[in-house]
Amino acid sequence: MGHLYYGTSTESIRIPDRLLSHLKVVATTKLRRSESFTLSWAHVDGTPGRSTLWLQPAIPLRFVFDSAEPESLDAATLKSMADMAGSSAGLIVDLDADIPTAEVGPRPAPARSTERSGRRAALSAAA
């Protein structure tokens, strides 16, 4: 069970590592683009109700995982979560959900242009 720390609070939100791994990718992608959104979940610890956070770039987030090994990510789950995060309802997560174990393949390395490298070398030499 992982932990999400929001803002300056010392209390964490307990989220399963697998779900937290997917949430981390979606949240950091949106926040890196300066896109704010809400994150909501129903309480599962016996407390009635649900909670919602407003996530925006100026509020600190910290993701703490119980496992030292990173989780494999499911592309369909990431897409679904990203689509929800971009909607007016925001990202609603089910803390008890089972996320498929299909993996996202490695990203291809970006193509490198020799022209750009040469220009960078020329600029370095000129400096």
Side-chain angles (χ1 to χ4, degrees):
M1 190 65 76
H3 300 269
L4 174 64
Y5 292 88
Y6 178 72
T8 58
S9 176
T10 57
E11 289 185 42
S12 69
I13 302 155
R14 292 177 47 114
I15 301 175
D17 274 5
R18 184 146 181 74
L19 176 58
L20 189 59
S21 294
H22 287 76
L23 177 60
K24 181 187 97 169
V25 170
V26 172
T28 56
T29 299
K30 297 237 356 125
L31 297 175
R32 186 177 57 242
R33 296 174 182 162
S34 297
E35 297 173 4
S36 302
F37 65 102
T38 59
L39 168 64
S40 302
W41 66 95
H43 299 163
V44 293
D45 60 359
T47 307
R50 59 190 165 84
S51 293
T52 299
L53 297 175
W54 174 248
L55 301 179
Q56 59 104 2
I59 300 172
L61 281 176
R62 184 166 52 111
F63 303 87
V64 178
F65 299 90
D66 279 347
S67 173
E69 294 299 315
E71 294 280 341
S72 62
L73 300 175
D74 177 61
T77 300
L78 287 171
K79 179 168 181 5
S80 174
M81 290 174 75
D83 290 347
M84 272 196 285
S87 74
S88 59
L91 177 54
I92 301 168
V93 296
D94 178 357
L95 299 179
D96 291 327
D98 285 327
I99 298 173
T101 57
E103 295 184 27
V104 171
R107 292 182 184 174
R112 304 220 179 234
S113 167
T114 55
E115 176 186 327
R116 189 174 198 183
S117 309
R119 189 173 8 165
R120 198 177 296 143
L123 290 175
S124 296

